[in-house]
């Protein structure tokens, strides 16, 4: 597999920096409660050219694949609602039929799956707050009435 390849349903896939798999980038609109509240501030923390790559993430996947694990790049992408989709593959191979089908099924049900994930995180937050109060000492934490309340 070359450096980049178009592969339905993933779109354009790039070799991960470690060579252990493939990666693509995708905005997840239904995870909006967990996007960072100030994307401009997160992007401003980056050096050029990383700032340019993040702002133009749909066309700079090859460059982002090399630096996506850098914490500032990772945070800036998340601030825009963009997450890396990693696909574990054998060296030189593409996604398996099972991986492709699983991802296609996710995309077909994305809103429901993301809503369920947000609800699960909210339930876990409430549980942890009730059971492990030491985690929540020393700072202001939201009550956890909604997922949107937890994002910031």
């Amino acid at each position: 597999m070359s450096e980049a390849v178009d592969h339905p349903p993933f779109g354009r896939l790039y070799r991960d920096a470690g060579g252990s798999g493939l990666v693509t980038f995708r905005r997840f609109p239904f995870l909006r409660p967990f996007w960072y509240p100030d994307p401009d501030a997160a992007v401003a923390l980056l050096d050029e050219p990383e700032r340019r790559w993040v702002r133009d993430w749909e066309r700079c996947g090859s460059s982002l694949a090399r630096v996506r694990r850098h914490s500032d790049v990772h945070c800036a992408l998340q601030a825009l609602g963009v997450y890396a989709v990693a696909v574990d593959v054998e060296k030189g191979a593409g996604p398996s039929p099972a991986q492709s089908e699983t991802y296609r099924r996710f995309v077909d049900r994305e809103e429901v799956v993301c809503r369920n994930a947000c609800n699960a995180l909210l339930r876990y937050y409430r549980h942890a707050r009730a059971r492990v109060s030491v985690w929540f000492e020393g700072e202001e934490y939201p009550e956890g009435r909604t997922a949107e309340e937890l994002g910031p």
Side-chain angles (χ1 to χ4, degrees), residues 25-89:
F25 297 89
R26 186 169 187 283
R27 179 170 277 136
F28 287 80
F30 302 110
L31 292 179
R32 188 169 201 93
F34 297 102
W35 296 10
Y36 290 1
D38 189 354
D40 292 333
V43 173
L45 294 174
L46 300 174
D47 295 330
E48 271 315 313
E50 291 171 347
R51 188 177 310 127
R52 186 172 9 95
W53 297 339
V54 167
R55 285 190 179 128
D56 198 19
W57 66 270
E58 290 176 290
R59 289 184 283 285
C60 295
S62 179
S63 298
L64 286 172
R66 292 190 310 269
V67 299
R68 73 180 178 95
R69 289 192 174 106
H70 297 182
S71 62
D72 288 347
V73 172
H74 180 79
C75 289
L77 286 168
Q78 283 185 339
L80 299 173
V82 176
Y83 297 85
V85 176
V87 184
D88 191 26
V89 297

Side-chain angles (χ1 to χ4, degrees), residues 1 4-14 22-24 26 85 87 89 93-108:
M1 179 174 247
V5 66
D6 290 320
H7 190 285
F10 292 99
R12 182 147 284 210
L13 289 164
Y14 305 92
L22 303 171
V23 66
T24 190
R26 186 169 187 283
V85 176
V87 184
V89 297
S96 72
Q99 289 170 318
S100 296
E101 178 61 15
T102 299
Y103 188 68
R104 186 195 60 75
R105 291 181 63 163
F106 163 75
V107 170
D108 288 348

